[in-house]
Each structure stands twice: as structure tokens, then as C-alpha cells.
Amino acid sequence: MFSDIGPLEVVALAVMAIVIFGPDKLPKLIQDTMGFIRKVRSFADSAKDDIRSELGPEFQDFEFTDLHPKTFVRKQLMGGNEDPLGFKELKDGLDFKSALNDEAPRRVATTPDLTKSAPAETSAPLAAGERPPFDLDAT
């Protein structure tokens, strides 16, 4: 949550707190804030325990982080003993490694040999105003 705050910003916040609240009130403010955070954490933990007990014994290993969409998709696609949606079969069907291995035939690019002359074509002379089939001057 606070991973985007750098050390310089933390120092700036500390200096502002000392200036605003003063050095005599700051320790009391920190204690009150820490007490509030502890109460919120204990309330959240007791709420989680209550929800687990209400769900029943089959959900004892339930984690609330599993409700996050990224975690749910990662857990379903990458592992887990149960596969109610059939993702394991889909994952096994997509075998990219064998498609990228040397088992697939490779095409070798060949360049035309320009040293050999093309066979001479015998064609009828062009009529007046008729263009040859490959006009290099046309743009």
C-alpha cells in the first residue's frame, strides 16, 4: 500500500508532523494511532474467524485472498487439486513447447540463382501500341 513512498517523502512527513504537532504531543499521537491500528486489525481478524465458523468445516482452509480475481485465475490455471471448471484439460491441450521444438519441419529460405540464365522465350512481335507483359517503366 505504501510501497510508492520513498525515503525522502517519509523524512518530509516526519518533519511536517514535528512542526505541526510539536515534539511534546507527537509521541502521544503515535501511540494513539498504533492503538487504533491494533484495534482495527483485531476487529478484522475476529470478523474473518466468525465468517469461517459460519461457513462450516469444509471452508476452514478458506483464505480471503483467494477472492481476488488475479489470485483466483492464477490458482485455477496454475495448480490446485480440484479442477471444477476444466482448466487443467485446457492447459494441457495448449502445448507450446512441442510446437516450438525442432520437431516441426523448417522451411529453408532459398534465393534464386541469378547466375543461370532464364530460358529464352519465343514470342510474337508486339503490335503497334501494345505493351509487353512486364513494363518496368510504368509507375
Side-chain angles (χ1 to χ4, degrees):
M1 185 164 123
F2 297 109
S3 62
D4 58 343
I5 296 177
L8 184 60
E9 292 153 342
V10 171
V11 169
L13 288 174
V15 168
M16 285 177 37
I18 292 173
V19 169
I20 292 172
F21 298 110
D24 53 335
K25 293 181 183 178
L26 193 59
K28 175 74 171 129
L29 181 67
I30 291 172
Q31 285 178 350
D32 292 343
T33 304
M34 293 303 294
F36 176 74
I37 290 173
R38 285 187 190 111
K39 285 181 184 178
V40 169
R41 282 186 182 168
S42 68
F43 176 73
D45 290 339
S46 67
K48 286 180 184 179
D49 291 338
D50 290 344
I51 290 172
R52 282 192 183 107
S53 66
E54 292 293 326
L55 286 175
E58 60 269 3
F59 291 102
Q60 289 298 347
D61 60 344
F62 175 73
E63 291 295 325
F64 288 93
T65 57
D66 293 341
L67 297 176
H68 193 278
K70 286 183 180 179
T71 307
F72 176 75
V73 170
R74 185 180 306 121
K75 186 175 181 181
Q76 293 298 322
L77 290 177
M78 296 299 178
N81 297 335
E82 299 176 16
D83 191 19
L85 300 176
F87 285 128
K88 183 164 177 54
E89 181 181 326
L90 179 66
K91 186 178 101 177
D92 292 339
L94 298 173
D95 190 14
F96 293 113
K97 289 183 181 178
S98 66
L100 296 176
N101 280 344
D102 290 340
E103 297 170 3
R106 291 186 178 192
R107 292 186 180 179
V108 178
T110 59
T111 58
D113 190 6
L114 300 177
T115 59
K116 295 181 182 177
S117 62
E121 293 184 15
T122 57
S123 62
L126 297 174
E130 188 178 358
R131 294 182 140 191
F134 298 104
D135 189 14
L136 298 177
D137 294 330
T139 54

